[in-house]
Amino acid sequence: MKLRSLFILSLLMNSLLAQVDYISTDSLRMIDFNPDINPLVNPDTGQAGFKLVYWVHGLAGNQHSWGRVQEVTEVQIGNPIPGYPVRNVAGYALSYQGEEYRRIFGLATFVNNSKMGIWRNNPLYDTVPVAKNFAIAHSQGGIVSRAIRYQNVNDTNAAGVHLSPAHFSHLATFGTPNGGANIINTTATGGPVQAWIDEGCRLFSAGVVQDFVNSKWWLGAIITPAMISSFTNKACNGFNRLVLPMLVNSIRKPVGIDYAMGAPNLYELKSFAQQDNMKVVTFYGVEQEPVFWRVLHTMTNTADTDSSNLSGSILATNPFGLVSDQELPDTINYMYHDFVAQKNAQNTIARNYRVLAAMSFMHPTTAYGLSSMAKNASNKAIIYNRAAHWLGQANMNWKRFIGARRDTTILEGYYCECLIDLGGTQGYSFTQTIVQTPLECNPPNAVNCFVSPKVSHQVIEEPNDGVVTVSSQIDYPNAEIPTKMENTNHMQERNHEQTRLRLNELFNGDWGNKFKLDEK
């Protein structure tokens, strides 16, 4: 458990900053090929139902993000996927990796002209009408696709000639922050996420190290809580120097500025969409609690860089197999209760030492030693308590960072407090009533009145996929009725069983013939 705890600490901090779709390297491994030259199959482009589909990844992704799903949509020779028929389609899981230094419209131009356009110019595909083709996008990929559509329609020269050739006519989004991504706002320079990560590194790692020290009696004799605190502070300073630049490179890429909450360019896309007639379907994920630990679990199982990781094994067989996300929540729950138990145990030890030290027959030197041991145990208890508190609050804090948990105040009227003259010798009385406006606080015979607002404080929680709120995922003007992906977090939205079900509905024509793909 001790080694596992240290491993989880590494996963926790590195995954949080290096893999949130916004921070992820995305999932899936497949044999690299150049789809511009070597398509997966030789499609029958002459068939009436043949279409092209562009699979667009999210921030920090690449061609592997949708790669396996795109592959099994076209061919399953030797690797049948139950319940997912092969379709008469040619797909392109494109990559714009390394281009996210561009702002959204610059990135859209690059993807449209240098990726989609080049692929579609392949002689196999260039005769397929644009009206037949559509894009499927995950997360930021949906914003990129929206910006492409904007330019397809609006970019013209003085003669009215379109400068941005269209390659698709319809769009399906999975977990796209159509209404904005609050995580972009909260990770801005000086934002709360940095302070929270720094605090978590210090407190959580101190608890793990203290746990390890306690497991070895000889370590406990030479390593004090003060030494542990000093060590973890220094370690986390180094952590900040090493990891926060990754945060800057991943979340704060220029393209992310354009879909932060309240971003002007996102508002421009929304205004355009209100008048656009493009058919759009939005699929939104809703994750179970605790959303933070579940999405973090999936992040640690979808790294491209480790060929032995769990996702590589699962997805090589079944691209819709990234379903389970319970292990990390269970582990964190165990660690939380372990820290609480250790805190209580150390407080008990400290209390017993203090009782012994206070006994009158104790020699002063012995009493001093017992007092020192009591203080040492108390300091250990503080370490465990802080670590438990951070773990216990992490899910709630994360939901605040992504905009899924908000504090609000509601004005419910006004308190009207008045001194009333009862007349004659009866004196005065004090009354308090609730009115809707201050002007209503004017009872008969009032000598003096005081008006104060009646305010209630409420916490609003919103369903989310662990990264993007539902309201943002479905905030696409004039889109079809949004479709829910049950118990699916942001990282799973490309590779979950729910993904298979939703794609089947899309390709079967449940959302109209524009997305219908004939089975082979």
Side-chain angles (χ1 to χ4, degrees):
M1 181 62 196
K2 308 303 178 185
L3 293 176
R4 189 181 194 186
S5 297
L6 291 170
F7 174 67
I8 289 172
L9 172 63
S10 174
L11 288 181
L12 172 69
M13 297 307 170
N14 285 285
S15 295
L16 180 62
L17 295 178
Q19 302 184 59
V20 175
D21 176 40
Y22 306 109
I23 328 172
S24 84
T25 52
D26 277 289
S27 65
L28 310 183
R29 239 164 327 281
M30 57 183 290
I31 298 174
D32 286 325
F33 69 97
N34 185 342
D36 304 336
I37 303 172
N38 304 310
L40 285 172
V41 294
N42 188 12
D44 186 358
T45 57
Q47 290 190 21
F50 181 80
K51 297 179 180 179
L52 305 179
V53 173
Y54 304 88
W55 303 80
V56 189
H57 65 75
L59 179 58
N62 53 43
Q63 69 272 21
H64 302 305
S65 303
W66 278 115
R68 278 283 290 139
V69 175
Q70 175 251 322
E71 179 184 13
V72 301
T73 303
E74 300 175 47
V75 59
Q76 297 179 23
I77 298 174
N79 183 38
I81 307 299
Y84 192 71
V86 177
R87 308 284 179 168
N88 185 33
V89 64
Y92 179 22
L94 61 85
S95 173
Y96 54 85
Q97 188 177 40
E99 300 295 330
E100 290 158 321
Y101 64 88
R102 304 171 187 266
R103 296 292 293 270
I104 189 63
F105 289 112
L107 182 58
T109 298
F110 172 81
V111 172
N112 190 63
N113 297 341
S114 300
K115 292 295 178 177
M116 293 180 174
I118 291 176
W119 179 70
R120 187 165 170 262
N121 283 335
N122 187 310
L124 288 172
Y125 311 135
D126 62 359
T127 60
V128 181
V130 173
K132 286 188 173 186
N133 308 331
F134 57 91
I136 295 176
H138 174 243
S139 193
Q140 176 189 269
I143 305 298
V144 174
S145 301
R146 292 178 64 177
I148 290 173
R149 171 67 178 183
Y150 178 96
Q151 292 178 320
N152 290 162
V153 174
N154 293 304
D155 285 2
T156 59
N157 61 19
V161 176
H162 286 276
L163 303 177
S164 178
H167 303 296
F168 66 89
S169 297
H170 326 294
L171 173 65
T173 65
F174 285 75
T176 291
N178 287 304
N182 200 69
I183 188 66
I184 300 293
N185 300 74
T186 53
T187 50
T189 302
V193 171
Q194 287 187 25
W196 179 68
I197 293 297
D198 179 45
E199 179 187 44
C201 181
R202 290 186 293 102
L203 302 183
F204 179 55
S205 59
V208 172
V209 173
Q210 184 65 71
D211 232 12
F212 179 75
V213 168
N214 284 350
S215 69
K216 311 291 184 183
W217 67 267
W218 51 274
L219 281 178
I222 60 176
I223 298 180
T224 66
M227 294 168 66
I228 292 174
S229 295
S230 176
F231 167 76
T232 54
N233 282 337
K234 291 178 181 178
C236 288
N237 285 337
F239 171 86
N240 275 336
R241 287 194 294 270
L242 292 173
V243 178
L244 286 180
M246 288 194 293
L247 174 68
V248 172
N249 289 334
S250 297
I251 294 186
R252 298 183 198 154
K253 291 181 182 294
V255 65
I257 297 172
D258 291 316
Y259 58 91
M261 298 297 293
N265 281 339
L266 186 62
Y267 177 81
E268 184 70 20
L269 291 177
K270 186 173 183 178
S271 298
F272 166 70
Q274 290 172 342
Q275 307 168 30
D276 190 20
N277 62 359
M278 179 173 68
K279 192 174 183 67
V280 177
V281 177
T282 56
F283 297 101
Y284 65 95
V286 177
E287 181 58 288
Q288 293 175 288
E289 296 289 357
V291 297
F292 173 62
W293 299 115
R294 291 187 182 280
V295 76
L296 187 62
H297 172 89
T298 307
M299 291 174 195
T300 61
N301 286 329
T302 56
D304 286 331
T305 55
D306 179 8
S307 61
S308 65
N309 73 54
L310 181 62
S311 67
S313 174
I314 290 176
L315 300 177
T317 303
N318 177 13
F320 307 110
L322 200 63
V323 175
S324 176
D325 55 14
Q326 185 62 41
E327 182 180 358
L328 185 56
D330 286 346
T331 301
I332 293 298
N333 185 57
Y334 177 89
M335 294 183 68
Y336 169 79
H337 286 96
D338 175 63
F339 286 157
V340 171
Q342 295 281 16
K343 176 201 71 173
N344 293 336
Q346 293 299 326
N347 278 332
T348 299
I349 292 171
R351 184 165 55 251
N352 292 339
Y353 280 144
R354 290 193 190 98
V355 170
L356 290 174
M359 291 181 176
S360 59
F361 60 83
M362 286 289 178
H363 187 277
T365 302
T366 303
Y368 177 79
L370 290 170
S371 296
S372 296
M373 287 189 287
K375 183 177 180 181
N376 189 56
S378 293
N379 289 335
K380 290 181 180 180
I382 291 172
I383 287 176
Y384 282 124
N385 184 59
R386 289 173 175 172
H389 181 76
W390 191 88
L391 285 181
Q393 298 292 309
N395 185 60
M396 181 188 70
N397 286 328
W398 180 253
K399 287 191 289 187
R400 291 187 188 280
F401 297 145
I402 66 174
R405 182 181 173 93
R406 304 184 299 276
D407 297 308
T408 186
T409 56
I410 299 176
L411 181 63
E412 297 181 331
Y414 297 85
Y415 292 109
C416 175
E417 300 173 328
C418 296
L419 190 64
I420 306 297
D421 184 356
L422 299 178
T425 60
Q426 299 183 64
Y428 300 90
S429 70
F430 175 80
T431 63
Q432 183 187 68
T433 58
I434 297 176
V435 297
Q436 295 303 307
T437 67
L439 294 177
E440 295 177 43
C441 185
N442 188 28
N445 302 321
V447 176
N448 190 21
C449 290
F450 178 75
V451 179
S452 60
K454 182 178 185 296
V455 176
S456 66
H457 299 272
Q458 297 183 4
V459 175
I460 299 175
E461 291 233 2
E462 182 181 348
N464 61 89
D465 64 4
V467 174
V468 185
T469 61
V470 167
S471 63
S472 179
Q473 293 179 66
I474 66 175
D475 189 14
Y476 197 116
N478 301 321
E480 298 295 313
I481 298 174
T483 302
K484 182 179 182 180
M485 302 176 72
E486 191 74 47
N487 301 333
T488 308
N489 68 51
H490 194 75
M491 304 304 297
Q492 292 171 320
E493 284 160 349
R494 300 158 307 183
N495 306 117
H496 196 276
E497 173 63 14
Q498 287 282 311
T499 313
R500 181 186 68 83
L501 295 174
R502 302 292 82 81
L503 287 176
N504 270 341
E505 292 171 356
L506 191 72
F507 298 156
N508 287 341
D510 291 9
W511 298 107
N513 288 331
K514 294 184 184 299
F515 295 102
K516 185 175 180 5
L517 295 179
D518 295 335
E519 296 184 23
K520 286 186 179 178

